[in-house]
Amino acid sequence: PEAGRAPGPPDGGWGWVVVFGAFVSIGFAYAFPKGLAIFFKEIQDFFGTSYSEIAWVSSIMLATTYGAGPISSILVNRYGSRPVVMFGGLLCGVGMISAAFCTSILQLYICVGFITGFGLALNLQPSVIIIGKYFLKRRPIANGLAMAGSPVMLCTLAPLNQFLFDNFGWRGSFLILGAILLNCCVAGALFRPIGPGTALVKTQVAEGGKDALKGKITEDGKEMSSALNIPTENKTEEEGEKDCFEKINQYLDFSLFKHRGFLIYLIGNVLMFLGFFAPIVFLAPYAKHTGIDEYSAAFLLSILAIVDMVARPTTGIVANSKWVRPRIQYFFSFAIAFNGACHLLCPLASSYTGLVVYSAFFGLAFGMVCAMLFETLMDLVGAARFTSAVGLVTIAECCTILLGPPIGGILIDTFGDYKYMFIKCGAVMVLAGTFLFIMNYYNYRMLAKEEKERKTKEEDPKSVRTENEGRKNWNKDSTQDGPELEPLREEGERVKKEMNGT
């Protein structure tokens, strides 16, 4: 059992209902922006815009979903997962229903991109976070099953969107989709709170300890200062500033930027997302461009999703095995590079059969990456700091997510051919996978070296003493008013000694 939680994560029971709720909300959060690609060709003709302009709709939506990560993390830490997801579902519905009445592409950016995107952000983060609270031993499997929501939804949404469009046009479809998105509120209702999160309990315990210590030191300081006639007012401003920073740090742990593994993960992922979503956004338009009919083009997304659906839980089971779990970072690096290789080979697929084969391999690679996306992060930073880590990672990723599809659209507009877009995405992802593989190898080596040094220190009693002294000094420094009151304390000691002498 983890600190701050009496019985520990149940690893089952109501947890599986929570996984189902997460399956629905994660499914909408990931699949919805991709499923909308079905309407792009028609909306493009309706408003008379270019490929890159229409690609911004999906991009803004995805970027808002990721960029609002820290806001979502703060809200979860403050109110818990259940109300945040329910409010997110409401926003999604409102965004899509208002999009049905848009009269310009700019209004679509606001309604679909920002409002619905923000609603999806409030669905995504809490769903991922609550699984970490309900599961520990079976976490990779639970994550894999919840992440399978994305392909299942995509598989359903691609043909459904085509059917809705044929019968109701894009405006009518948006109205119906807005109503469907309200199901996220139902999913959120299943997220029964399990007690305070580890991270929050730890920070509260730490803060409680600090406050007690701070109170004692401040009282001592006041007694000494009154004895020595030293004014103490100038300390309060610094205290106020520190309190403010600590409040922010309580919700978003910025000390993660000193964590080597976290930084490697962050750089690799930011690079990867530059080529991650564009191929899905342009798969159906590419098929239509090569002369394939609408339903067959939409069916390619379904094939991708069906393979993805099987790939995610399978990857979760493989990642949970005793051989892979200790080195899950290497497996993740391979999945990203494999994804890139698929895109590099896509331009060779000119016929419909070729595109079906590409969609199947793409689905497998995509599923592998998605199933391990959050598991690898939790493996690096631990469950206690995971909420903050997710928030910080998603805001950093949102820039490349925002730029990915429009850059692809610009390449298509410039060359009049889709192959350069696929080559760009493939090259970027192979590079990201290689970077993560090399840097994780380096990280594992450094961790082993540090562990070895720590053991040698523990064996040597002399070093243990100095280490303990160092720890005491560090604890003394880390109390908020410690360093400022040090001269005051010394002066007090001197006065006491003199008094004892007399």
Side-chain angles (χ1 to χ4, degrees), residues 145-156:
L145 286 169
M147 285 299 201
S150 167
V152 171
M153 290 291 179
L154 185 58
C155 184
T156 318

Side-chain angles (χ1 to χ4, degrees), residues 281-447:
V281 171
F282 288 111
L283 181 58
Y286 173 48
K288 288 178 189 176
H289 177 77
T290 52
I292 292 158
D293 67 280
E294 280 108 347
Y295 275 97
S296 302
F299 187 60
L300 286 174
L301 282 173
S302 297
I303 293 166
L304 184 150
I306 290 162
V307 178
D308 188 357
M309 206 186 303
V310 179
R312 289 190 197 208
T314 312
T315 305
I317 293 162
V318 171
N320 205 28
S321 65
K322 62 177 184 221
W323 302 284
V324 179
R325 197 166 181 181
R327 291 287 179 268
I328 196 170
Q329 304 297 336
Y330 292 144
F331 191 32
F332 182 54
S333 313
F334 163 75
I336 294 170
F338 175 48
N339 214 314
C342 291
H343 302 326
L344 287 173
L345 295 172
C346 176
L348 302 175
S350 49
S351 65
Y352 186 66
T353 317
L355 282 173
V356 167
V357 173
Y358 164 70
S359 299
F361 275 102
F362 182 16
L364 173 65
F366 194 83
M368 284 169 75
V369 172
C370 289
M372 289 186 288
L373 200 58
F374 294 111
E375 182 53 44
T376 44
L377 180 59
M378 206 181 274
D379 175 67
L380 286 167
V381 301
R385 301 169 85 187
F386 180 65
T387 311
S388 289
V390 172
L392 294 169
V393 163
T394 48
I395 198 164
E397 288 167 354
C398 81
C399 302
T400 47
I401 289 170
L402 181 68
L403 294 172
I407 290 172
I410 289 165
L411 288 170
I412 297 163
D413 288 334
T414 311
F415 297 104
D417 197 341
Y418 283 79
K419 72 176 178 187
Y420 297 103
M421 187 272 302
F422 284 107
I423 290 167
K424 181 270 296 183
C425 294
V428 163
M429 292 199 73
V430 168
L431 181 68
T434 313
F435 168 83
L436 279 171
F437 191 88
I438 295 165
M439 292 309 287
N440 278 314
Y441 174 72
Y442 164 75
N443 189 30
Y444 280 134
R445 287 285 298 272
M446 289 300 285
L447 287 172

Side-chain angles (χ1 to χ4, degrees), residues 39-102:
F39 303 106
F40 282 2
K41 195 91 182 73
E42 287 69 30
I43 294 173
Q44 192 182 337
D45 296 339
F46 185 86
F47 290 119
T49 57
S50 65
Y51 275 111
S52 51
E53 278 178 307
I54 199 72
W56 279 105
V57 175
S58 267
S59 276
I60 293 169
M61 199 175 186
L62 284 164
T64 310
T65 303
Y66 276 75
I71 300 169
S72 194
S73 293
I74 288 169
L75 289 172
V76 172
N77 274 338
R78 186 80 181 80
Y79 302 106
S81 290
R82 184 188 267 174
V84 175
V85 174
M86 291 173 82
F87 178 63
L90 198 63
L91 270 184
C92 290
V94 169
M96 284 309 290
I97 290 164
S98 53
F101 303 98
C102 289

Side-chain angles (χ1 to χ4, degrees), residues 98-121:
S98 53
F101 303 98
C102 289
T103 52
S104 72
I105 195 86
L106 187 66
Q107 288 171 6
L108 271 184
Y109 291 162
I110 295 163
C111 295
V112 179
F114 290 111
I115 300 173
T116 309
F118 185 61
L120 294 176

